[in-house]
Amino acid sequence: DQQVKQNSPSLSVQEGRISILNCDYTNSMFDYFLWYKKYPAEGPTFLISISSIKDKNEDGRFTVFLNKSAKHLSLHIVPSQPGDSAVYFCAASVAGANNLFFGTGTRLTVIP
Amino acid sequence: NAGVMQNPRHLVRRRGQEARLRCSPMKGHSHVYWYRQLPEEGLKFMVYLQKENIIDESGMPKERFSAEFPKEGPSILRIQQVVRGDSAAYFCASSSVIQEGYTFGSGTRLTVV
């Protein structure tokens, strides 16, 4: 039962343009959401997070938007750079719990 | 301050053998998590441990898989009598509190031949 879904397995974007990665979830008890970035042969690295009390969190070129009513979040990267090419995982957790539920990932390719 | 250390990076086992995967969390982190990534799939939660305690093992297969995090030493994920379907990348992560996110290790790639 996949509680966190990333329906786009891949995305290609031109350098300098905006990358938008989407994530949907089914569990209304999720209250904390995170994005991770993964390069080949490495472990995922934490990128940005958002609490359910917010609808937006920004960190440099990265912004995460949360729409609780739609159970949807998105990661915006602008401007996209070739070094952003990686697999991006969306993750969510329930209040009081420490384990994260991950999506299946979206492979982003930024074309120079 | 070393990150999460996993070893070995690559492990090859014949069917029926045992696989032992080790994970040393970041200094100061008391929570350890094991995840498995099968080919073409996302990260699947397996088990969450604190020192000497299994907190949540809801993602662990019922048979052949076990995990421990002893008072001293690394956390161990043990797979007995491995089968080809166990071939995957196994990632360990550690955290202090969830709001800081997990720190992942580089993973152990298990290949069962």
Side-chain angles (χ1 to χ4, degrees), chain A residues 21-43:
Chain A
L21 296 95
N22 293 303
C23 177
D24 298 290
Y25 61 95
T26 57
N27 189 343
S28 58
M29 299 299 291
F30 287 147
D31 76 333
Y32 196 69
F33 304 89
L34 307 91
W35 284 93
Y36 282 80
K37 177 180 178 180
K38 185 182 181 301
Y39 292 116
E42 294 184 12

Side-chain angles (χ1 to χ4, degrees), chain A residues 2 32 36 41 43 98-100, chain B residues 9 33 35 44 99 102 105:
Chain A
Q2 192 71 28
Y32 196 69
Y36 282 80
N98 270 35
N99 54 315
L100 292 175
Chain B
R9 288 295 303 270
Y33 317 82
Y35 282 78
K44 297 285 190 183
Q99 284 74 15
Y102 291 173

Side-chain angles (χ1 to χ4, degrees), chain B residues 18-69:
Chain B
E18 178 180 286
R20 281 186 179 235
L21 290 65
R22 288 175 289 278
C23 169
S24 296
M26 277 189 71
K27 188 175 180 180
H29 284 185
S30 58
H31 306 272
V32 166
Y33 317 82
W34 285 93
Y35 282 78
R36 175 165 66 172
Q37 186 179 21
L38 294 167
E40 306 304 322
E41 293 190 16
L43 293 158
K44 297 285 190 183
F45 168 75
M46 298 183 76
V47 62
Y48 160 37
L49 311 103
Q50 294 181 18
K51 283 284 187 182
E52 300 184 279
N53 283 304
I54 296 174
I55 307 301
D56 182 351
E57 56 181 348
S58 58
M60 287 279 270
K62 298 300 180 195
E63 297 177 348
R64 303 188 296 108
F65 285 72
S66 62
E68 62 177 5
F69 188 15

Side-chain angles (χ1 to χ4, degrees), chain A residues 2 25 28 35 51 64 69 71 90 106 111:
Chain A
Q2 192 71 28
Y25 61 95
S28 58
W35 284 93
S51 165
V64 55
S69 60
K71 294 192 178 68
C90 171
T106 296
I111 304 163

